[in-house]
Amino acid sequence: MWRYPVFLRCGLRSIFNKPYNTSIRANELYPASSIRPFTLGTLRYPEPASKDQHHDIASYVAYAERTGLDVESKVFIGTHYEYSVASALRPLGFDLRRVGGQSDKGIDLLGTWSLPSTPANLPLRVLLQCKAYSNVKSAKIGPQFIRELEGAYLGAPPGWRGSGVVGLLITQRSATKGVREALAHSRWPLGYVSCSREGELEQVLWNRRAEEEGLEGMGVTARHGETQRLILTWRGRPYMLPASTSPGKESGDVEPQQESQPDVKSA
C-alpha cells in the first residue's frame, strides 16, 4: 500500500516509498557551463579545486578506466554517486553542477530547482551534500548529518546565500525518526532525499522553512505505469516539467490528473 505525502504538524512534507520498485531511473547528466542566467544577473559557480576530466557518469567511468582508478575506492564511489544523484534529480527540475573538492565546505552539488511555485525566471537555488557508502546496510544516518548540512548551508558560496535557497541531504537510506525530527526543528530551509547508488529516487521530504522559501504547494507522489517513479505535485495535482527542462520526460507523459488528497497526521 502506498503512503502518499502527508503534512505533519512537526513541519515536514514527505513521501515514504518503501516498495523497492518505486523509483526513477537515473538519466545521463548533461554538461553544464560555469555561469548560468539567474534573474537579472548570473550565478557564478565556484571553480573546482582541480580541472576534472569528467562531467557526468559516462565520462567519469571512462576517466576511471583510463586512469586505473579503483572502482571500490571511496573516491570513485563518492564521485559516481554525486553524478548519479544529479542525474536522478534532473527530471524533477534540478539543474546541478558538481563542485566537490578540498574547499567545498561540505557541499558536493550546487544548482537550481525550477518549480511552478516560484517565478519562471527565479528558480530556487539548492546546495546538496551527498553521503555514499560501499556498504549501505551498515551505514548509520542520524541527526548529526542535519547539523552538518546546516553548517554547509551557512558556509555556502555567495550565489547561494539569502532567501530562496534550500539545502538537501542525499543518502542511500530512508530518513530515520531522528533525522526527520532534526529537519522539523531546524531553523533553516532543509530537505532530505533517499537515492540509491544506481540513481533511483526512493524518498523526498523537506521542512516547513523550505516551504516558506518557495516549496509551498509542492509535494511528491508515486506515479504508476510500466515502471513506478516519483513525480512532483503542485497544489495536489501531478506536475510534469516542460520537455525543455526535463530530459527524463517520457513520451507517454500526459497532462496532470487529480489524485487523492493527503491526510493530516500528527508527528
Side-chain angles (χ1 to χ4, degrees):
M1 178 180 294
W2 299 112
R3 299 181 64 185
Y4 289 95
V6 296
F7 187 67
L8 305 177
R9 290 196 181 98
C10 64
L12 287 179
R13 171 73 68 176
S14 63
I15 179 170
F16 303 100
N17 293 56
K18 290 303 292 182
Y20 295 107
N21 60 351
T22 300
S23 61
I24 291 178
R25 177 65 64 178
N27 298 295
E28 290 303 317
L29 174 67
Y30 289 11
S33 60
S34 59
I35 300 179
R36 315 244 183 104
F38 185 72
T39 60
L40 299 179
T42 58
L43 271 179
R44 295 183 178 273
Y45 287 71
E47 291 294 330
S50 60
K51 299 296 182 180
D52 291 335
Q53 301 177 42
H54 44 82
H55 57 266
D56 59 10
I57 296 174
S59 62
Y60 185 61
V61 171
Y63 168 81
E65 293 177 349
R66 186 170 64 252
T67 60
L69 180 61
D70 183 1
V71 296
E72 297 299 326
S73 67
K74 290 183 178 180
V75 172
F76 179 87
I77 292 174
T79 303
H80 188 279
Y81 185 61
E82 291 164 10
Y83 283 133
S84 294
V85 168
S87 183
L89 290 174
R90 188 174 180 86
L92 297 189
F94 286 81
D95 185 12
L96 301 170
R97 176 186 175 91
R98 180 175 173 270
V99 296
Q102 294 182 349
S103 59
D104 62 8
K105 297 185 184 298
I107 299 171
D108 299 305
L109 299 168
L110 284 174
T112 59
W113 189 3
S114 298
L115 297 164
S117 56
T118 60
N121 65 336
L122 186 61
L124 281 178
R125 290 160 291 160
V126 291
L127 57 91
L128 285 67
Q129 280 193 328
C130 302
K131 304 293 183 182
Y133 301 91
S134 56
N135 188 344
V136 179
K137 293 183 178 180
S138 63
K140 296 182 179 180
I141 307 298
Q144 70 275 15
F145 288 108
I146 299 302
R147 293 191 290 271
E148 184 180 328
L149 178 62
E150 290 176 329
Y153 183 90
L154 294 175
W160 284 262
R161 298 175 187 173
S163 61
V165 181
V166 173
L168 297 173
L169 174 64
I170 321 294
T171 81
Q172 295 162 276
R173 298 287 298 273
S174 296
T176 63
K177 179 181 178 181
V179 167
R180 296 195 300 269
E181 291 178 347
L183 273 178
H185 292 98
S186 178
R187 59 182 295 191
W188 309 111
L190 305 176
Y192 185 96
V193 176
S194 174
C195 180
S196 73
R197 184 174 178 178
E198 293 75 26
E200 297 178 350
L201 296 178
E202 298 171 349
Q203 182 188 60
V204 178
L205 58 90
W206 54 78
N207 63 10
R208 190 181 301 277
R209 279 289 291 111
E211 288 199 341
E212 294 172 355
E213 291 298 329
L215 288 172
E216 183 70 38
M218 299 302 303
V220 187
T221 191
R223 182 161 188 163
H224 303 266
E226 293 183 3
T227 60
Q228 295 172 326
R229 55 175 179 162
L230 301 188
I231 63 169
L232 294 174
T233 62
W234 168 234
R235 295 177 177 173
R237 297 172 63 88
Y239 172 78
M240 302 306 298
L241 294 166
S244 60
T245 60
S246 179
K249 183 177 179 180
E250 300 175 359
S251 59
D253 287 333
V254 296
E255 291 300 315
Q257 297 179 352
Q258 184 68 40
E259 290 193 357
S260 58
Q261 296 300 312
D263 297 326
V264 176
K265 300 181 179 180
S266 59

